[in-house]
Amino acid sequence: MNTSGHAAADVRDDAGGLRLAPFRGLRYVPERVGSLAAVTSPPYDVVVRPDGLLHLESADPHNIVRLILPQAITAGTRHRKAAVTLDRWLADGILAPDPEPALYVYEQQGDGILQRGVIGALELSTPDAGVVLPHEDVMPHVVEDRAALMRTTAANLEPLLLTYVGDDGGAAAVIERTVLREPLLATTTEDGFRHRLWSVTDPAELAAVAGDLARHQALIADGHHRWATYLRLREEHTAPGPWNHGLVLLIDTARYPLRVRAIHRLLNRLPVADALAALGDSFRVRRIEQPLPAALEALEAAAADGNAFLLAGDGAFHLVDRPDPALLERTVRTDRPHAWRTLDATVLHSTLLDHVWHIPDAPEDIAYIHDTQAAVDQAERRGGTAVLMHPVREDVVRDLARQGVTMPRKSTSFGPKPATGLVLRSLALD
């Protein structure tokens, strides 16, 4: 067990913690698809469109991307298309529900990482309850789109990634016993990660997991927009029922630490030359003629001393650091904790995007890209500017979340993220 760098377990004395319920998972029938690997996908917001989307669609006619990112001219048509596709796959036996409600132990292994956690239907709660802690703001148009998709399909198509800081309680023991059994499924995706899934249906083991998790709170590691979507749909369905829960994967990061990576910005309409010219003397700028790995090392070194960014899009890299303190004082809110005021994402959005570059907060102006090389490539192709970021430590994220302070949207990328398509939740079955 690796517990280095983690706070003490987030035990709640009032037992008002996580309430994870079993559900009848929808899963692909292996005999009806080319392979389980060919029907899976990264989470919807990680798929690099359009290349990644087309690649997944061509991998198998039943790839889950046809549900999470359906293609049509209008939004309403897209969502109805997903619902029709889901119904057809159920009728044709491509997807089938498991015979009884279960929690699912999920394991990912690859790239030097072993991650294990529990997938279930989590009772929803608002941030003021202090049970599930968001750490990032959300974009309303994304929540609206995800809500329309969930509403139309009546399904949770992919689990959110939540973390908690556990101890040696019942959930950990159940997980470690379960992985010794034969899994329901095992597959290796094209990124080299191995995925295994088990069901837990024994009442005593379900009770052990539930009792343990009820003592803890969780941090949303990935899926803020989907969590906000869950809450919106719960408001629409006031009677007790399946809309009061949402599909999540819970990882104890005291036992299985996640990697925290940055999410980069692509400024579609701002050429690098214009971005640099607008900086004036407010930041130090150094041109780096070396390849991307060396430029990222320079970014990491600069970030150790304060705010730093790497601009790309003109065939070179430009390290931007040492912001003018007076500029920060004028542009960054003072009613937030020091840790928030000094975040790279805060300085990027409050100082650079809002006051220096005057970039509108609109999808056509700013794209959020997880893959570093893809961000650089797209900036060069479009004549825009990629702003490459340095990741934030998990303990900083969790501390701010506990204070009720949200970071700028898309500030972090926790991983590895669960593969989409291994288990779905139909609200009609709950």
Side-chain angles (χ1 to χ4, degrees), residues 113-143:
I113 294 178
L114 174 64
Q115 176 179 284
R116 290 172 179 157
V118 180
I119 296 174
L122 184 67
E123 183 177 304
L124 305 180
S125 60
T126 55
D128 57 357
V131 177
V132 176
L133 306 175
H135 71 268
E136 290 183 355
D137 296 329
V138 297
M139 293 174 275
H141 73 280
V142 177
V143 176

PDB file of all heavy atoms in Angstrom, residues 113-143:
ATOM      1  N   ILE A 113       0.982   1.529 -13.346  1.00  0.00           N
ATOM      2  CA  ILE A 113      -0.096   1.864 -12.415  1.00  0.00           C
ATOM      3  C   ILE A 113      -0.983   0.652 -12.183  1.00  0.00           C
ATOM      4  O   ILE A 113      -1.340  -0.062 -13.129  1.00  0.00           O
ATOM      5  CB  ILE A 113      -0.963   3.013 -12.962  1.00  0.00           C
ATOM      6  CG1 ILE A 113      -0.163   4.303 -13.043  1.00  0.00           C
ATOM      7  CG2 ILE A 113      -2.210   3.231 -12.102  1.00  0.00           C
ATOM      8  CD1 ILE A 113      -0.951   5.459 -13.633  1.00  0.00           C
ATOM      9  N   LEU A 114      -1.346   0.411 -10.928  1.00  0.00           N
ATOM     10  CA  LEU A 114      -2.380  -0.541 -10.569  1.00  0.00           C
ATOM     11  C   LEU A 114      -3.458   0.231  -9.833  1.00  0.00           C
ATOM     12  O   LEU A 114      -3.186   0.885  -8.831  1.00  0.00           O
ATOM     13  CB  LEU A 114      -1.837  -1.658  -9.679  1.00  0.00           C
ATOM     14  CG  LEU A 114      -2.882  -2.636  -9.124  1.00  0.00           C
ATOM     15  CD1 LEU A 114      -3.551  -3.404 -10.256  1.00  0.00           C
ATOM     16  CD2 LEU A 114      -2.256  -3.580  -8.102  1.00  0.00           C
ATOM     17  N   GLN A 115      -4.662   0.186 -10.336  1.00  0.00           N
ATOM     18  CA  GLN A 115      -5.769   0.918  -9.733  1.00  0.00           C
ATOM     19  C   GLN A 115      -6.932  -0.030  -9.516  1.00  0.00           C
ATOM     20  O   GLN A 115      -7.312  -0.779 -10.416  1.00  0.00           O
ATOM     21  CB  GLN A 115      -6.196   2.061 -10.658  1.00  0.00           C
ATOM     22  CG  GLN A 115      -7.422   2.836 -10.182  1.00  0.00           C
ATOM     23  CD  GLN A 115      -7.779   3.955 -11.127  1.00  0.00           C
ATOM     24  OE1 GLN A 115      -7.130   4.982 -11.149  1.00  0.00           O
ATOM     25  NE2 GLN A 115      -8.817   3.748 -11.939  1.00  0.00           N
ATOM     26  N   ARG A 116      -7.505   0.007  -8.315  1.00  0.00           N
ATOM     27  CA  ARG A 116      -8.687  -0.799  -8.006  1.00  0.00           C
ATOM     28  C   ARG A 116      -9.707   0.052  -7.284  1.00  0.00           C
ATOM     29  O   ARG A 116      -9.346   0.904  -6.459  1.00  0.00           O
ATOM     30  CB  ARG A 116      -8.315  -2.006  -7.130  1.00  0.00           C
ATOM     31  CG  ARG A 116      -7.505  -3.077  -7.864  1.00  0.00           C
ATOM     32  CD  ARG A 116      -7.010  -4.130  -6.902  1.00  0.00           C
ATOM     33  NE  ARG A 116      -6.263  -5.179  -7.593  1.00  0.00           N
ATOM     34  CZ  ARG A 116      -5.365  -5.969  -6.997  1.00  0.00           C
ATOM     35  NH1 ARG A 116      -5.105  -5.830  -5.707  1.00  0.00           N
ATOM     36  NH2 ARG A 116      -4.740  -6.896  -7.698  1.00  0.00           N
ATOM     37  N   GLY A 117     -10.977  -0.186  -7.577  1.00  0.00           N
ATOM     38  CA  GLY A 117     -12.034   0.557  -6.918  1.00  0.00           C
ATOM     39  C   GLY A 117     -13.360  -0.142  -7.058  1.00  0.00           C
ATOM     40  O   GLY A 117     -13.443  -1.282  -7.535  1.00  0.00           O
ATOM     41  N   VAL A 118     -14.420   0.533  -6.638  1.00  0.00           N
ATOM     42  CA  VAL A 118     -15.768  -0.038  -6.635  1.00  0.00           C
ATOM     43  C   VAL A 118     -16.694   0.853  -7.457  1.00  0.00           C
ATOM     44  O   VAL A 118     -16.727   2.073  -7.259  1.00  0.00           O
ATOM     45  CB  VAL A 118     -16.321  -0.164  -5.201  1.00  0.00           C
ATOM     46  CG1 VAL A 118     -17.730  -0.770  -5.234  1.00  0.00           C
ATOM     47  CG2 VAL A 118     -15.418  -1.018  -4.341  1.00  0.00           C
ATOM     48  N   ILE A 119     -17.441   0.228  -8.368  1.00  0.00           N
ATOM     49  CA  ILE A 119     -18.448   0.921  -9.163  1.00  0.00           C
ATOM     50  C   ILE A 119     -19.823   0.620  -8.573  1.00  0.00           C
ATOM     51  O   ILE A 119     -20.152  -0.532  -8.293  1.00  0.00           O
ATOM     52  CB  ILE A 119     -18.409   0.473 -10.639  1.00  0.00           C
ATOM     53  CG1 ILE A 119     -17.071   0.860 -11.279  1.00  0.00           C
ATOM     54  CG2 ILE A 119     -19.565   1.076 -11.429  1.00  0.00           C
ATOM     55  CD1 ILE A 119     -16.890   0.338 -12.696  1.00  0.00           C
ATOM     56  N   GLY A 120     -20.613   1.688  -8.380  1.00  0.00           N
ATOM     57  CA  GLY A 120     -21.957   1.513  -7.859  1.00  0.00           C
ATOM     58  C   GLY A 120     -22.798   2.735  -8.151  1.00  0.00           C
ATOM     59  O   GLY A 120     -22.351   3.685  -8.808  1.00  0.00           O
ATOM     60  N   ALA A 121     -24.030   2.712  -7.678  1.00  0.00           N
ATOM     61  CA  ALA A 121     -24.952   3.832  -7.829  1.00  0.00           C
ATOM     62  C   ALA A 121     -24.906   4.645  -6.544  1.00  0.00           C
ATOM     63  O   ALA A 121     -25.394   4.203  -5.501  1.00  0.00           O
ATOM     64  CB  ALA A 121     -26.369   3.326  -8.108  1.00  0.00           C
ATOM     65  N   LEU A 122     -24.333   5.838  -6.628  1.00  0.00           N
ATOM     66  CA  LEU A 122     -24.116   6.658  -5.440  1.00  0.00           C
ATOM     67  C   LEU A 122     -25.287   7.602  -5.214  1.00  0.00           C
ATOM     68  O   LEU A 122     -25.738   8.284  -6.135  1.00  0.00           O
ATOM     69  CB  LEU A 122     -22.821   7.474  -5.587  1.00  0.00           C
ATOM     70  CG  LEU A 122     -22.410   8.301  -4.372  1.00  0.00           C
ATOM     71  CD1 LEU A 122     -22.026   7.398  -3.208  1.00  0.00           C
ATOM     72  CD2 LEU A 122     -21.256   9.243  -4.724  1.00  0.00           C
ATOM     73  N   GLU A 123     -25.766   7.633  -3.971  1.00  0.00           N
ATOM     74  CA  GLU A 123     -26.814   8.591  -3.622  1.00  0.00           C
ATOM     75  C   GLU A 123     -26.289  10.003  -3.815  1.00  0.00           C
ATOM     76  O   GLU A 123     -25.194  10.342  -3.372  1.00  0.00           O
ATOM     77  CB  GLU A 123     -27.270   8.375  -2.175  1.00  0.00           C
ATOM     78  CG  GLU A 123     -28.404   9.285  -1.745  1.00  0.00           C
ATOM     79  CD  GLU A 123     -28.871   8.984  -0.338  1.00  0.00           C
ATOM     80  OE1 GLU A 123     -29.243   7.820  -0.071  1.00  0.00           O
ATOM     81  OE2 GLU A 123     -28.854   9.910   0.505  1.00  0.00           O
ATOM     82  N   LEU A 124     -27.076  10.851  -4.482  1.00  0.00           N
ATOM     83  CA  LEU A 124     -26.627  12.191  -4.831  1.00  0.00           C
ATOM     84  C   LEU A 124     -26.754  13.135  -3.643  1.00  0.00           C
ATOM     85  O   LEU A 124     -27.648  12.986  -2.800  1.00  0.00           O
ATOM     86  CB  LEU A 124     -27.445  12.718  -6.004  1.00  0.00           C
ATOM     87  CG  LEU A 124     -27.462  11.840  -7.256  1.00  0.00           C
ATOM     88  CD1 LEU A 124     -28.319  12.479  -8.340  1.00  0.00           C
ATOM     89  CD2 LEU A 124     -26.049  11.595  -7.776  1.00  0.00           C
ATOM     90  N   SER A 125     -25.877  14.122  -3.593  1.00  0.00           N
ATOM     91  CA  SER A 125     -25.921  15.139  -2.551  1.00  0.00           C
ATOM     92  C   SER A 125     -25.330  16.422  -3.096  1.00  0.00           C
ATOM     93  O   SER A 125     -24.457  16.396  -3.970  1.00  0.00           O
ATOM     94  CB  SER A 125     -25.141  14.684  -1.310  1.00  0.00           C
ATOM     95  OG  SER A 125     -23.776  14.440  -1.637  1.00  0.00           O
ATOM     96  N   THR A 126     -25.796  17.536  -2.598  1.00  0.00           N
ATOM     97  CA  THR A 126     -25.282  18.830  -3.024  1.00  0.00           C
ATOM     98  C   THR A 126     -23.979  19.136  -2.297  1.00  0.00           C
ATOM     99  O   THR A 126     -23.700  18.558  -1.238  1.00  0.00           O
ATOM    100  CB  THR A 126     -26.311  19.934  -2.747  1.00  0.00           C
ATOM    101  OG1 THR A 126     -26.674  19.885  -1.356  1.00  0.00           O
ATOM    102  CG2 THR A 126     -27.548  19.736  -3.599  1.00  0.00           C
ATOM    103  N   PRO A 127     -23.159  20.046  -2.831  1.00  0.00           N
ATOM    104  CA  PRO A 127     -21.858  20.328  -2.211  1.00  0.00           C
ATOM    105  C   PRO A 127     -21.955  20.747  -0.756  1.00  0.00           C
ATOM    106  O   PRO A 127     -21.050  20.438   0.041  1.00  0.00           O
ATOM    107  CB  PRO A 127     -21.297  21.453  -3.085  1.00  0.00           C
ATOM    108  CG  PRO A 127     -21.922  21.246  -4.424  1.00  0.00           C
ATOM    109  CD  PRO A 127     -23.314  20.755  -4.126  1.00  0.00           C
ATOM    110  N   ASP A 128     -23.039  21.449  -0.368  1.00  0.00           N
ATOM    111  CA  ASP A 128     -23.114  21.920   1.008  1.00  0.00           C
ATOM    112  C   ASP A 128     -23.272  20.780   2.007  1.00  0.00           C
ATOM    113  O   ASP A 128     -23.050  20.966   3.214  1.00  0.00           O
ATOM    114  CB  ASP A 128     -24.251  22.934   1.178  1.00  0.00           C
ATOM    115  CG  ASP A 128     -25.615  22.388   0.769  1.00  0.00           C
ATOM    116  OD1 ASP A 128     -25.675  21.233   0.294  1.00  0.00           O
ATOM    117  OD2 ASP A 128     -26.616  23.113   0.917  1.00  0.00           O
ATOM    118  N   ALA A 129     -23.612  19.593   1.542  1.00  0.00           N
ATOM    119  CA  ALA A 129     -23.688  18.431   2.433  1.00  0.00           C
ATOM    120  C   ALA A 129     -22.300  17.931   2.825  1.00  0.00           C
ATOM    121  O   ALA A 129     -22.158  17.183   3.804  1.00  0.00           O
ATOM    122  CB  ALA A 129     -24.489  17.311   1.781  1.00  0.00           C
ATOM    123  N   GLY A 130     -21.281  18.284   2.041  1.00  0.00           N
ATOM    124  CA  GLY A 130     -19.913  17.897   2.374  1.00  0.00           C
ATOM    125  C   GLY A 130     -19.617  16.428   2.179  1.00  0.00           C
ATOM    126  O   GLY A 130     -18.670  15.903   2.756  1.00  0.00           O
ATOM    127  N   VAL A 131     -20.418  15.747   1.374  1.00  0.00           N
ATOM    128  CA  VAL A 131     -20.199  14.318   1.132  1.00  0.00           C
ATOM    129  C   VAL A 131     -19.416  14.100  -0.155  1.00  0.00           C
ATOM    130  O   VAL A 131     -18.442  13.353  -0.185  1.00  0.00           O
ATOM    131  CB  VAL A 131     -21.545  13.560   1.083  1.00  0.00           C
ATOM    132  CG1 VAL A 131     -21.324  12.078   0.757  1.00  0.00           C
ATOM    133  CG2 VAL A 131     -22.280  13.704   2.402  1.00  0.00           C
ATOM    134  N   VAL A 132     -19.847  14.722  -1.233  1.00  0.00           N
ATOM    135  CA  VAL A 132     -19.140  14.681  -2.512  1.00  0.00           C
ATOM    136  C   VAL A 132     -18.662  16.099  -2.809  1.00  0.00           C
ATOM    137  O   VAL A 132     -19.467  17.025  -2.915  1.00  0.00           O
ATOM    138  CB  VAL A 132     -20.043  14.153  -3.643  1.00  0.00           C
ATOM    139  CG1 VAL A 132     -19.323  14.220  -4.974  1.00  0.00           C
ATOM    140  CG2 VAL A 132     -20.475  12.723  -3.343  1.00  0.00           C
ATOM    141  N   LEU A 133     -17.354  16.253  -2.933  1.00  0.00           N
ATOM    142  CA  LEU A 133     -16.749  17.576  -3.033  1.00  0.00           C
ATOM    143  C   LEU A 133     -16.322  17.866  -4.466  1.00  0.00           C
ATOM    144  O   LEU A 133     -15.407  17.226  -4.985  1.00  0.00           O
ATOM    145  CB  LEU A 133     -15.512  17.662  -2.120  1.00  0.00           C
ATOM    146  CG  LEU A 133     -15.727  17.296  -0.652  1.00  0.00           C
ATOM    147  CD1 LEU A 133     -14.395  17.315   0.083  1.00  0.00           C
ATOM    148  CD2 LEU A 133     -16.715  18.253  -0.002  1.00  0.00           C
ATOM    149  N   PRO A 134     -16.946  18.819  -5.129  1.00  0.00           N
ATOM    150  CA  PRO A 134     -16.431  19.253  -6.433  1.00  0.00           C
ATOM    151  C   PRO A 134     -15.230  20.166  -6.226  1.00  0.00           C
ATOM    152  O   PRO A 134     -15.103  20.809  -5.186  1.00  0.00           O
ATOM    153  CB  PRO A 134     -17.616  20.021  -7.028  1.00  0.00           C
ATOM    154  CG  PRO A 134     -18.354  20.552  -5.844  1.00  0.00           C
ATOM    155  CD  PRO A 134     -18.163  19.544  -4.739  1.00  0.00           C
ATOM    156  N   HIS A 135     -14.357  20.227  -7.214  1.00  0.00           N
ATOM    157  CA  HIS A 135     -13.218  21.149  -7.105  1.00  0.00           C
ATOM    158  C   HIS A 135     -13.073  22.030  -8.329  1.00  0.00           C
ATOM    159  O   HIS A 135     -12.162  22.857  -8.384  1.00  0.00           O
ATOM    160  CB  HIS A 135     -11.916  20.382  -6.847  1.00  0.00           C
ATOM    161  CG  HIS A 135     -11.415  19.583  -8.017  1.00  0.00           C
ATOM    162  ND1 HIS A 135     -11.755  18.271  -8.210  1.00  0.00           N
ATOM    163  CD2 HIS A 135     -10.611  19.915  -9.054  1.00  0.00           C
ATOM    164  CE1 HIS A 135     -11.174  17.830  -9.307  1.00  0.00           C
ATOM    165  NE2 HIS A 135     -10.491  18.809  -9.849  1.00  0.00           N
ATOM    166  N   GLU A 136     -13.957  21.869  -9.321  1.00  0.00           N
ATOM    167  CA  GLU A 136     -13.879  22.691 -10.525  1.00  0.00           C
ATOM    168  C   GLU A 136     -15.240  23.254 -10.884  1.00  0.00           C
ATOM    169  O   GLU A 136     -16.278  22.644 -10.614  1.00  0.00           O
ATOM    170  CB  GLU A 136     -13.367  21.866 -11.719  1.00  0.00           C
ATOM    171  CG  GLU A 136     -11.914  21.476 -11.635  1.00  0.00           C
ATOM    172  CD  GLU A 136     -11.442  20.715 -12.869  1.00  0.00           C
ATOM    173  OE1 GLU A 136     -12.279  20.418 -13.747  1.00  0.00           O
ATOM    174  OE2 GLU A 136     -10.250  20.420 -12.943  1.00  0.00           O
ATOM    175  N   ASP A 137     -15.229  24.434 -11.519  1.00  0.00           N
ATOM    176  CA  ASP A 137     -16.444  24.992 -12.073  1.00  0.00           C
ATOM    177  C   ASP A 137     -16.849  24.199 -13.320  1.00  0.00           C
ATOM    178  O   ASP A 137     -16.033  23.474 -13.897  1.00  0.00           O
ATOM    179  CB  ASP A 137     -16.233  26.463 -12.450  1.00  0.00           C
ATOM    180  CG  ASP A 137     -15.930  27.320 -11.224  1.00  0.00           C
ATOM    181  OD1 ASP A 137     -16.439  26.982 -10.143  1.00  0.00           O
ATOM    182  OD2 ASP A 137     -15.177  28.303 -11.363  1.00  0.00           O
ATOM    183  N   VAL A 138     -18.093  24.371 -13.740  1.00  0.00           N
ATOM    184  CA  VAL A 138     -18.582  23.661 -14.922  1.00  0.00           C
ATOM    185  C   VAL A 138     -19.093  24.661 -15.957  1.00  0.00           C
ATOM    186  O   VAL A 138     -19.357  25.826 -15.655  1.00  0.00           O
ATOM    187  CB  VAL A 138     -19.711  22.662 -14.568  1.00  0.00           C
ATOM    188  CG1 VAL A 138     -19.193  21.585 -13.636  1.00  0.00           C
ATOM    189  CG2 VAL A 138     -20.902  23.391 -13.950  1.00  0.00           C
ATOM    190  N   MET A 139     -19.218  24.186 -17.181  1.00  0.00           N
ATOM    191  CA  MET A 139     -19.722  24.997 -18.278  1.00  0.00           C
ATOM    192  C   MET A 139     -21.194  24.643 -18.497  1.00  0.00           C
ATOM    193  O   MET A 139     -21.518  23.478 -18.768  1.00  0.00           O
ATOM    194  CB  MET A 139     -18.899  24.736 -19.542  1.00  0.00           C
ATOM    195  CG  MET A 139     -17.468  25.216 -19.422  1.00  0.00           C
ATOM    196  SD  MET A 139     -16.417  24.777 -20.846  1.00  0.00           S
ATOM    197  CE  MET A 139     -15.901  23.117 -20.390  1.00  0.00           C
ATOM    198  N   PRO A 140     -22.093  25.603 -18.395  1.00  0.00           N
ATOM    199  CA  PRO A 140     -23.533  25.299 -18.475  1.00  0.00           C
ATOM    200  C   PRO A 140     -23.949  24.580 -19.750  1.00  0.00           C
ATOM    201  O   PRO A 140     -24.806  23.691 -19.704  1.00  0.00           O
ATOM    202  CB  PRO A 140     -24.179  26.686 -18.376  1.00  0.00           C
ATOM    203  CG  PRO A 140     -23.187  27.514 -17.625  1.00  0.00           C
ATOM    204  CD  PRO A 140     -21.844  27.011 -18.060  1.00  0.00           C
ATOM    205  N   HIS A 141     -23.353  24.916 -20.883  1.00  0.00           N
ATOM    206  CA  HIS A 141     -23.792  24.283 -22.131  1.00  0.00           C
ATOM    207  C   HIS A 141     -23.426  22.798 -22.166  1.00  0.00           C
ATOM    208  O   HIS A 141     -24.136  21.994 -22.775  1.00  0.00           O
ATOM    209  CB  HIS A 141     -23.192  25.006 -23.342  1.00  0.00           C
ATOM    210  CG  HIS A 141     -21.732  24.768 -23.567  1.00  0.00           C
ATOM    211  ND1 HIS A 141     -20.747  25.435 -22.866  1.00  0.00           N
ATOM    212  CD2 HIS A 141     -21.084  23.919 -24.401  1.00  0.00           C
ATOM    213  CE1 HIS A 141     -19.560  25.015 -23.272  1.00  0.00           C
ATOM    214  NE2 HIS A 141     -19.735  24.092 -24.200  1.00  0.00           N
ATOM    215  N   VAL A 142     -22.330  22.434 -21.479  1.00  0.00           N
ATOM    216  CA  VAL A 142     -21.964  21.016 -21.427  1.00  0.00           C
ATOM    217  C   VAL A 142     -22.940  20.257 -20.524  1.00  0.00           C
ATOM    218  O   VAL A 142     -23.384  19.151 -20.850  1.00  0.00           O
ATOM    219  CB  VAL A 142     -20.517  20.837 -20.927  1.00  0.00           C
ATOM    220  CG1 VAL A 142     -20.165  19.360 -20.796  1.00  0.00           C
ATOM    221  CG2 VAL A 142     -19.546  21.528 -21.881  1.00  0.00           C
ATOM    222  N   VAL A 143     -23.279  20.848 -19.377  1.00  0.00           N
ATOM    223  CA  VAL A 143     -24.246  20.217 -18.481  1.00  0.00           C
ATOM    224  C   VAL A 143     -25.580  20.032 -19.188  1.00  0.00           C
ATOM    225  O   VAL A 143     -26.222  18.981 -19.077  1.00  0.00           O
ATOM    226  CB  VAL A 143     -24.419  21.057 -17.200  1.00  0.00           C
ATOM    227  CG1 VAL A 143     -25.507  20.456 -16.308  1.00  0.00           C
ATOM    228  CG2 VAL A 143     -23.100  21.141 -16.435  1.00  0.00           C
TER     229      VAL A 143
END
